[in-house]
Amino acid sequence: MYYLNVISAVLTFATSSAVSQTAGGGGGSGCKFAGVNIAGFDFGRDSAGPTNGAEQMAHFVNDDKQNIFRLPVEWDYVTDTSGGPLNQAKFQKYDQLMQACLQFGAYCILDIHSYARYNLDGTNGAVVGQGGPPISDLVNTWTQLAKFYASQEKVVMAIMNEPHDLDVNIWSQTVQQCVTAIRQAGATSQMILLPGSSWASAGDFFGGGGGDLLMQVTNPGGGTENLIFDFHNYFNAPGSSNPECINNGITNAWQPPLETLRSAKRQAMITELGGGGTAQSCLTNVCAGLDFLNQNSDVYLGWTAWSAGAFDASYVMSVLDASGNDVPLMKQCFVAKSYGGGSPGTITPTNGTSSGSPGSPQGNSSTGGYLPPPSYVQRTRFARRRS
């Protein structure tokens, strides 16, 4: 039943006449991409993942016309040791979600959600290449992932979620080695997202984030085609359990790196941004921030809102309510401001899978949310200052 529901949703979108342009083309001056995080495989190495993730994506594609999804996964979920082979049983579960995303014709971000660490505790553990696992271990993981998805042009490879408290010189070398490995593994043209330190803060990118060093990261041939910077910003007060929003992202996040990126003809994607789902302060601030991104879409390619997936509806930044419907912030800002209020273009579903892919999505069709353990919430969403 789950599989049939997913295929039905894909076919529904394929025959829809609501959109008419090329995928990612964007309407007018708006951003090219708009979508949502589908969290769950970042909830620990034994996570069940987002069991209704494909059904959520069906809603976001069919009803909200979203065209990109970020699929976070912990490094220590897909491998049993930092330098080891992919855990085939666990990776198969993750790939089922990825294949569902690809079948909708959407762009799908493969995000290693581990904060530049392997033994993930969100804020603890030693940094890769800096007292933790050697850089070659992360390179090995990305080589395996890139080989697996090399034929999938719409798989976007996000090297690491929210690096922090590290030596940016060594981190930039780590990123360079990962980029080189991904390209040499056969993923020669896909977008790769490059994160700075300071929790990928947009506002700190050219400060403590090491953006000047990441600007020097290149493809093996020396160019920077499809090397996109990975930015985050939260609109609510420090400590993301606060439902009220206190900034619109413009002066503290989007403006600081804008002109430097524009003059260098470089681009960024906002892969995490969010706030309280019903607060008027968030409706006002988030909508204003998205307007600014749309007005500067030559630099800002788009966004993936935080979050859907395995979060329970009680989670303050859930974009879905208990009935699976969009909360006001999702409907009035993230959806209404998508593509500058225009069309995402035609998204062509694909039935193809990656070489060696486990195949079509299967799983639990339950629409019930999963409430992650308090330790997870504490370490990843509530306990630290946001930009």
Side-chain angles (χ1 to χ4, degrees), residues 213-300:
L213 296 170
L214 291 175
M215 292 273 281
Q216 301 172 36
V217 173
T218 66
N219 291 311
T224 58
E225 297 84 3
N226 282 328
L227 299 184
I228 310 300
F229 298 116
D230 191 349
F231 288 172
H232 291 182
N233 180 69
Y234 283 82
F235 301 90
N236 51 348
S240 297
S241 61
N242 193 321
E244 297 291 336
C245 290
I246 62 171
N247 74 79
N248 59 21
I250 297 174
T251 59
N252 64 300
W254 317 143
Q255 279 184 339
L258 179 62
E259 293 307 325
T260 302
L261 294 178
R262 178 172 283 143
S263 63
K265 295 182 171 54
R266 300 299 298 274
Q267 294 175 308
M269 182 89 75
I270 318 301
T271 61
E272 281 190 30
L273 70 175
T278 61
Q280 182 58 49
S281 61
C282 292
L283 298 178
T284 300
N285 281 295
V286 175
C287 282
L290 299 183
D291 283 339
F292 185 87
L293 294 178
N294 281 319
Q295 292 159 10
N296 294 280
S297 59
D298 60 317
V299 171
Y300 293 116

Side-chain angles (χ1 to χ4, degrees), residues 46-341:
D46 297 318
S47 169
T51 56
N52 59 335
E55 294 168 340
Q56 290 180 349
M57 286 188 285
H59 158 67
F60 291 128
V61 169
N62 289 319
D63 301 328
D64 294 342
K65 310 309 179 207
Q66 303 294 279
N67 67 357
I68 189 167
F69 298 100
R70 182 172 181 252
L71 313 178
V73 62
E74 286 188 10
W75 187 4
D76 60 350
Y77 179 87
V78 293
T79 64
D80 293 328
T81 61
S82 61
L86 298 178
N87 179 309
Q88 290 301 310
K90 290 183 177 180
F91 180 65
Q92 180 178 11
K93 294 179 181 178
Y94 178 80
D95 184 59
Q96 288 170 358
L97 184 68
M98 178 65 74
Q99 296 302 328
C101 179
L102 291 170
Q103 287 176 354
F104 289 117
Y107 284 77
C108 310
I109 302 174
L110 196 175
D111 160 50
I112 294 186
H113 206 86
S114 294
Y115 308 89
R117 289 138 172 92
Y118 179 74
N119 54 330
L120 183 63
D121 183 31
T123 57
N124 297 323
V127 175
V128 58
Q130 303 181 39
I135 296 173
S136 59
D137 283 6
L138 182 59
V139 167
N140 179 54
T141 298
W142 269 117
T143 297
Q144 295 176 75
L145 293 170
K147 283 182 178 178
F148 190 86
Y149 291 115
S151 65
Q152 295 291 351
E153 291 295 317
K154 291 185 176 181
V155 173
V156 180
M157 302 189 187
I159 288 175
M160 183 64 65
N161 176 70
E162 296 189 346
H164 64 89
D165 298 293
L166 48 71
D167 183 319
V168 294
N169 290 280
I170 299 175
W171 177 245
S172 67
Q173 297 167 27
T174 303
V175 172
Q176 178 64 77
Q177 291 186 42
C178 289
V179 167
T180 300
I182 289 168
R183 295 304 189 212
Q184 291 179 344
T188 57
S189 60
Q190 288 93 333
M191 286 188 284
I192 303 177
L193 302 185
L194 316 182
S197 187
S198 299
W199 309 92
S201 165
D204 291 340
F205 185 66
F206 287 113
D212 54 337
L213 296 170
L214 291 175
M215 292 273 281
Q216 301 172 36
V217 173
T218 66
N219 291 311
T224 58
E225 297 84 3
N226 282 328
L227 299 184
I228 310 300
F229 298 116
D230 191 349
F231 288 172
H232 291 182
N233 180 69
Y234 283 82
F235 301 90
N236 51 348
S240 297
S241 61
N242 193 321
E244 297 291 336
C245 290
I246 62 171
N247 74 79
N248 59 21
I250 297 174
T251 59
N252 64 300
W254 317 143
Q255 279 184 339
L258 179 62
E259 293 307 325
T260 302
L261 294 178
R262 178 172 283 143
S263 63
K265 295 182 171 54
R266 300 299 298 274
Q267 294 175 308
M269 182 89 75
I270 318 301
T271 61
E272 281 190 30
L273 70 175
T278 61
Q280 182 58 49
S281 61
C282 292
L283 298 178
T284 300
N285 281 295
V286 175
C287 282
L290 299 183
D291 283 339
F292 185 87
L293 294 178
N294 281 319
Q295 292 159 10
N296 294 280
S297 59
D298 60 317
V299 171
Y300 293 116
L301 291 175
W303 63 79
T304 50
W306 189 268
S307 183
F311 282 112
D312 187 83
S314 62
Y315 176 51
V316 69
M317 286 188 290
S318 174
V319 298
L320 296 173
D321 64 20
S323 298
N325 299 316
D326 294 340
V327 299
L329 183 65
M330 183 67 194
K331 182 180 296 184
Q332 297 180 38
C333 294
F334 290 125
V335 174
K337 301 296 183 180
S338 296
Y339 326 110

